[in-house]
Amino acid sequence: MGAVYVVGMGPGGLPHLTLRAMEVLKAADAIVGYTRYVELIAPLTADKEIFSTGMTREIERCEKAIALAREGKTVAMVSSGDAGIYGMAGLVMQVAMRRGEPVPIEVIPGVPSFVSAAAILGAPLMHDFASISLSDLLTDWEKIEGRLLAAAKADFVIVLYNPKSGKRTEGLKKAVSIIAAHREGNTPVGIVRNATREGEDAVITTLSGFHLYYDKIDMLTIVIVGNSTTFTHEHRMITPRGYKGV
Amino acid sequence: MGAVYVVGMGPGGLPHLTLRAMEVLKAADAIVGYTRYVELIAPLTADKEIFSTGMTREIERCEKAIALAREGKTVAMVSSGDAGIYGMAGLVMQVAMRRGEPVPIEVIPGVPSFVSAAAILGAPLMHDFASISLSDLLTDWEKIEGRLLAAAKADFVIVLYNPKSGKRTEGLKKAVSIIAAHREGNTPVGIVRNATREGEDAVITTLSGFHLYYDKIDMLTIVIVGNSTTFTHEHRMITPRGYKGV
């Protein structure tokens, strides 16, 4: 029996891989992943069996990884960011379980996309935060709305994943208006597209000014809304931790 | 003028550093950090100026890093996990700003402790989550309680940072009872101490069984409480993302 390693590659390309992730990729017999992510690590995988597919074929990739491991191979399933945050880690465990095909699975943690987005913006996540995906493909919109309202009222810094896609454009407007009903208009909002990848683009605006950037936002964008204490200084978004004397 | 790089080292020791973090540490003239973390990277820093202090002397470390950078040095301030999540990134920016001593500051993201804790437990963070620190040193307890209640009601997976210290022991009990009022007693709870470090210890229990592990929890522990869909399978804690057909 082989094994499946679900490897978080970090936000983009080789520089953000951990040494442990690098080691696992080098030792793997086979690499399974979404085509774009497999390409990012091509320098490490030249001599390996590759199974890559486009977006929306997640379950097929899990089945393939499990089958290869059951043939005795060491398989690395690659995921952008961290594989455990809206990623493939849970899915491959579920697929192995439901199919009755147990196989050793280990998750190799990576730098999540929202963490690298925060680093580009400054330090918006120094205090309690809530992460909410706006994709209603797999979640009822009422549940998403309930979480937005709860997070807004309780003054969490709010991270929005999957804010907007080609087809799904209204959710983000609703989300921002729910949050804006409970925060000042001048609350800082950071928008980061392609964090640490080619085409990286970051801007800091406010809840009131957010609509100006609406068209630039897509599925590769992370939005971070500050809490009641977050401020902007010299193009940096900072949420104070609360130390006295600073 | 030099610069300050605030480097997230990941959860413990060299294997979880990113390549970029490694590069920055190697290139630095000076290393500033909490003594224990500076020791973890000793193999990389033999020839460098070191300024390390114990816990609670965070502001002094920031002042030193800024002073060294203003003398022209390249300074790496090291932080465990990610420097932007309850870390030093925001503090050093605030200290530079308040003292009127501007200096280039860049945050190098790392794998946060809660992300490596999640990887050890399985895949508990596959859906929306809220991170709450139970330390009331810098935050009013009422605010913490409000966030616990909001997150519990809105069915977030809940990550508890700084759950308990030697002096602060009652907050965690209160926190768990607030959450338990809104979730089933069999909701999985993961407890990870020293994630990926020497002395790593992880257990999966339930909200009802949590009190049995209370004494083992300290400031180096991360607690992750599942949402209403989280389940346990073969010592793994999994929150489904919601894909059909699995």
Side-chain angles (χ1 to χ4, degrees), chain A residues 151-167:
Chain A
K153 280 186 172 172
D155 202 26
F156 281 99
V157 175
I158 300 176
V159 179
L160 300 178
Y161 259 87
N162 306 315
K164 187 165 151 254
S165 72
K167 293 177 191 168

Side-chain angles (χ1 to χ4, degrees), chain B residues 2-232:
Chain B
V4 177
Y5 292 88
V6 198
V7 180
M9 293 168 38
L14 299 179
H16 295 275
L17 275 175
T18 66
L19 301 184
R20 174 83 178 111
M22 181 80 98
E23 219 175 70
V24 168
L25 292 176
K26 281 184 184 160
D29 304 310
I31 305 289
V32 174
Y34 171 47
T35 311
R36 192 191 305 200
Y37 301 150
V38 171
E39 284 164 4
L40 285 172
I41 51 164
L44 297 179
T45 61
D47 56 336
K48 301 180 192 300
E49 183 173 349
I50 306 279
F51 181 80
S52 63
T53 73
M55 204 60 102
T56 75
R57 290 173 60 189
E58 288 84 3
I59 293 173
E60 193 181 337
R61 291 203 292 274
C62 292
E63 286 167 341
K64 183 69 178 183
I66 293 162
L68 288 168
R70 291 177 67 87
E71 285 168 17
K73 293 191 172 131
T74 302
V75 183
M77 284 197 77
V78 295
S79 219
S80 162
D82 175 65
I85 295 188
Y86 307 113
M88 299 294 286
L91 193 61
V92 69
M93 290 174 195
Q94 280 187 281
V95 171
M97 184 182 98
R98 302 283 187 215
R99 307 283 188 275
E101 294 178 342
V103 68
I105 299 174
E106 186 179 335
V107 183
I108 310 296
V111 176
S113 314
F114 80 97
V115 170
S116 59
I120 292 164
L121 294 169
L125 301 176
M126 295 292 293
H127 216 299
D128 302 333
F129 59 92
S131 170
I132 303 172
S133 165
L134 297 188
S135 170
D136 59 357
L137 277 178
L138 306 174
T139 308
D140 289 340
W141 178 257
E142 295 85 70
K143 187 141 203 170
I144 298 171
E145 227 173 68
R147 287 178 179 160
L148 288 164
L149 185 63
K153 281 185 171 174
D155 202 27
F156 282 99
V157 176
I158 301 175
V159 178
L160 301 177
Y161 258 87
N162 306 315
K164 187 166 152 253
S165 71
K167 292 177 190 165
R168 198 169 42 74
T169 61
E170 289 309 298
L172 179 59
K173 278 185 195 162
K174 285 188 208 162
V176 170
S177 79
I178 289 168
I179 298 169
H182 299 275
R183 304 232 167 134
E184 301 289 338
N186 64 359
T187 302
V189 181
I191 305 170
V192 184
R193 191 164 177 277
N194 280 322
T196 75
R197 282 193 250 195
E198 213 185 311
E200 176 182 304
D201 191 15
V203 70
I204 298 173
T205 179
T206 59
L207 276 173
S208 311
F210 184 78
H211 63 278
L212 299 171
Y213 299 92
Y214 196 79
D215 289 345
K216 297 181 94 178
I217 293 171
D218 62 13
M219 288 291 276
L220 299 173
T221 307
I222 300 271
V223 176
I224 301 183
V225 183
N227 73 12
S228 63
T229 69
T230 306
F231 63 92
T232 308

Side-chain angles (χ1 to χ4, degrees), chain A residues 14-22 58-59 82-91 93-95 97-99 102 105-112 114-116 119 122-123 125-133 135 138-139 143-144 146-148 150-151 154-156 162 227-228 231 233-234 236 238-246, chain B residues 14-22 58-59 82-91 93-95 97-99 102 105-112 114-116 119 122-123 125-133 135 138-139 143-144 146-148 150-151 154-156 162 227-228 231 233-234 236 238-246:
Chain A
L14 299 177
H16 294 276
L17 276 174
T18 66
L19 302 185
R20 175 84 178 109
M22 182 79 101
E58 290 84 2
I59 293 174
D82 175 66
I85 294 188
Y86 307 112
M88 300 294 288
L91 193 61
M93 290 174 195
Q94 281 187 280
V95 171
M97 183 181 100
R98 304 282 187 214
R99 306 284 187 274
I105 299 175
E106 187 178 333
V107 184
I108 310 296
V111 176
F114 81 96
V115 170
S116 59
L125 301 175
M126 296 292 295
H127 216 299
D128 301 335
F129 59 92
S131 169
I132 303 173
S133 166
S135 170
L138 306 173
T139 309
K143 187 141 202 170
I144 298 171
R147 287 177 180 161
L148 288 163
D155 202 26
F156 281 99
N162 306 315
N227 72 13
S228 62
F231 64 91
H233 178 74
E234 286 174 1
R236 282 272 164 72
I238 303 171
T239 302
R241 180 94 176 82
Y243 286 93
K244 308 271 183 254
V246 286
Chain B
L14 299 179
H16 295 275
L17 275 175
T18 66
L19 301 184
R20 174 83 178 111
M22 181 80 98
E58 288 84 3
I59 293 173
D82 175 65
I85 295 188
Y86 307 113
M88 299 294 286
L91 193 61
M93 290 174 195
Q94 280 187 281
V95 171
M97 184 182 98
R98 302 283 187 215
R99 307 283 188 275
I105 299 174
E106 186 179 335
V107 183
I108 310 296
V111 176
F114 80 97
V115 170
S116 59
L125 301 176
M126 295 292 293
H127 216 299
D128 302 333
F129 59 92
S131 170
I132 303 172
S133 165
S135 170
L138 306 174
T139 308
K143 187 141 203 170
I144 298 171
R147 287 178 179 160
L148 288 164
D155 202 27
F156 282 99
N162 306 315
N227 73 12
S228 63
F231 63 92
H233 178 74
E234 286 173 359
R236 281 272 163 73
I238 303 171
T239 302
R241 180 94 175 82
Y243 286 93
K244 308 276 182 248
V246 288

